[in-house]
Amino acid sequence: MSNVVKERVQHVAPVLCLAAPTRDDTTGSLAGERRAPLPPALGYCEVFEHFLSPAECRGLIERVESTGFAAASDDYPPSYRNNDRLVVDDPTLAAQLFHRLQQHAPQVLPAADAVSSHEHFALARLNERIRFCRYRAGQEFTIHQDGVYHADEQHQSRLTFMIYLTDGDDFDDGDTLFYARGPTAHGAPAVVARVRPRIGTLILFDHSVWHAGEPVTRGRKHVVRSDVIYRRVHAVDRDARALPFVGHQGYVWALAKLDEGFASGGRDRAIRLWSDDGTPRGVLHGHQQSVLGLAAYGQGQLASVSRDRTLRLWDVPSQRCLRSTVAHQAAALCVAALEDEGLATGGADGVVSLWASGAQPAAALHGHSGWVWALAPLPQAGLLASASEDGDVRLWSLSQRTCAGILRGCVPLRTLAVSPDQTTLVTGDTHGRVQMWTDLNERPRLVHTFAAHDAAVRRVRYLDADTLATAGEDGHVRCWQSSDLTLRFEARHTNFATDVLPLSDRQLVSCSYDGTILASRLATALGASE
């Protein structure tokens, strides 16, 4: 799925001072074996034994255990990962680790987006955001790619840096698994390589490599990870309308159409405002964690929700926050505009919250047993639809504030949309399927199910009455003829595609975990004539 990440950061003193590394006097390399577990065609991956000593590993574990872990399942869908986690910003430790690493990591990498053969990336530093993970019996991290961190326009992370702090003899299973490709509608593909954790061993691999943390069945596994950051050099001019443009420092989660241009929300806690041609128009700051949902409403206003659990209202012309309020008891995942400037939000607490004008609390709707990922109003019927990790769509009566119907499912849902004429409801699930329902006011009928992606569907959105767009964790953005489900267009990101939005001048924009927003011409996408 989904690297649905919450950075609950602990600001602590440096966790450990590392000793000088042990090196081979003749080669200058780290003592111990250096090997490549993957074929080069699948991406860079190298394992370095004895990167840390057993004593250093035990010291790190002791320090972070005394600080305390948080359950990742509070911030990630449990179907995706359920381990324990501690995130710290520690420039001192990052610098020490990088000093030990810098002679052994690749000094130069080619441009990931293949914009130009004249462009490459040079080794720069280690991300100071350090993540400690603990896996107990029954805990795992399912198949995924790691996201790109954009420190600025010239610096971005390219490699995952992970050290095993516990030896594989101290727990059962828990290997790091690698795959040649991402998940399909039928589940994870065959494992092509596995690495058995050994205390002090470092593994470096490209963010684009598909991997998983196998479930631990006995004992405890500890790892520490960060990102290796590279600097872009020999850059050439870009056409922002045709190529990716970067503004966020990491994953871009959501898009929203504004009266002029559009907005994007990201992991860097920022909401960025853009013209349709990709020109930056401003930045809205205020959220303390990832911005996960956006919705335009009223006259020149924008609503946003975040992993910090809040709902914020913004006046876009003045770029001013009008109100901030706690919306949920866990991460706030989605927001939708209702009539009369009302709003609805959904959260990881399984609650749908209704808000009157000005974000005044109106009602809390209970019924889902999992995270509420998406909301879609049906104003003609006076209903609100919600899609959840529990697999169900619930139809809520906005006047009665009760559940008026349930579309039962057994696969976690991540998104839904309603057709412009409000006769069809569309959902996307974690198996890559899209389902279409009609007769929503009477006895809803499932009329179509089709495989839209080879991994979870992160967004379904009607571009117009005839065109349905989907974004998936296979990195693809696709446009479908809604009448016969003919595929009419496809674009690709280098990581999970998270949202897709139509703009004026026949443009389509999409965003991704790769930190970019891509612009495509709708004339090309939809087969329209110029």
Side-chain angles (χ1 to χ4, degrees), residues 22 59 121 192 206 213 217 242 253 289 304 311 313 330 347 420 462 466-467 472 478 483 493 503 512-513 529:
T22 302
F121 283 79
V192 297
D206 194 285
T217 57
W253 295 106
Q289 293 179 30
S304 62
L311 164 67
L313 306 185
Y462 276 91
D466 299 321
T467 310
R478 293 179 170 132
S483 59
H493 287 270
L503 299 181
S512 168
Y513 276 25
S529 58

Side-chain angles (χ1 to χ4, degrees), residues 108-419:
V108 175
L109 292 174
D113 51 19
V115 169
S116 168
S117 59
H118 303 292
E119 194 168 272
H120 64 275
F121 283 79
L123 181 65
R125 66 182 189 272
L126 199 68
N127 189 356
E128 67 184 35
R129 181 148 295 179
I130 311 293
R131 284 86 88 190
F132 294 90
C133 297
R134 180 181 65 190
Y135 293 82
R136 294 172 289 157
Q139 294 184 333
E140 65 177 321
F141 198 156
T142 60
I143 182 172
H144 65 285
Q145 293 171 303
D146 291 332
V148 178
Y149 168 64
H150 291 272
D152 53 49
E153 288 189 0
Q154 297 303 317
H155 293 83
Q156 68 181 63
S157 67
R158 294 290 303 276
L159 302 179
T160 296
F161 173 101
M162 185 168 70
I163 305 170
Y164 301 110
L165 301 179
T166 316
D167 196 76
D169 291 340
D170 296 331
F171 55 88
D172 291 339
D173 300 311
D175 290 354
T176 301
L177 309 179
F178 291 97
Y179 307 86
R181 55 185 175 82
T184 70
H186 304 291
V191 174
V192 297
R194 63 171 61 229
V195 173
R196 184 65 185 158
R198 293 299 174 193
I199 190 168
T201 294
L202 165 70
I203 183 168
L204 288 179
F205 54 90
D206 194 285
H207 286 335
S208 64
V209 174
W210 289 94
H211 63 287
E214 182 183 42
V216 170
T217 57
R218 179 196 62 85
R220 292 187 176 188
K221 178 180 79 170
H222 292 81
V223 303
V224 58
R225 73 163 299 260
S226 186
D227 314 284
V228 186
I229 294 175
Y230 283 74
R231 176 176 57 87
R232 186 188 298 272
V233 294
H234 297 167
V236 295
D237 293 337
R238 294 165 173 252
D239 177 357
R241 292 175 60 90
L243 297 171
F245 52 94
V246 175
H248 290 279
Q249 295 177 319
Y251 314 148
V252 187
W253 295 106
L255 304 170
K257 185 74 177 76
L258 304 175
D259 294 335
E260 295 183 9
F262 66 99
S264 60
R267 183 188 185 186
D268 57 3
R269 304 173 294 178
I271 299 167
R272 296 187 176 270
L273 307 177
W274 308 90
S275 298
D276 284 351
D277 64 0
T279 302
R281 296 177 52 223
V283 185
L284 308 181
H285 292 293
H287 281 296
Q288 299 304 302
Q289 293 179 30
S290 300
V291 179
L292 302 183
L294 299 170
Y297 76 102
Q299 185 65 36
Q301 295 187 330
L302 179 71
S304 62
V305 291
S306 164
R307 287 203 179 278
D308 64 13
R309 307 184 180 190
T310 66
L311 164 67
R312 283 180 176 261
L313 306 185
W314 306 86
D315 179 73
V316 175
S318 66
Q319 299 184 20
R320 182 169 58 94
C321 182
L322 303 174
R323 178 173 170 80
S324 176
T325 185
V326 175
H328 292 272
Q329 296 304 306
L333 303 175
C334 56
V335 58
L338 306 176
E339 293 184 322
D340 300 322
E341 297 192 0
L343 296 166
T345 60
D349 54 6
V351 176
V352 175
S353 296
L354 302 181
W355 307 85
S357 178
Q360 297 301 314
L365 308 179
H366 298 269
H368 282 297
S369 60
W371 294 21
V372 178
W373 279 105
L375 299 165
L378 295 90
Q380 294 176 8
L383 298 174
L384 174 71
S386 58
S388 169
E389 185 80 7
D390 61 19
D392 293 343
V393 172
R394 286 182 174 257
L395 301 174
W396 305 92
S397 168
L398 291 174
S399 60
Q400 300 296 318
R401 295 175 179 174
T402 57
C403 183
I406 304 176
L407 312 183
R408 293 289 186 188
C410 58
V411 177
L413 301 175
R414 292 286 152 80
T415 181
L416 87 166
V418 174
S419 62

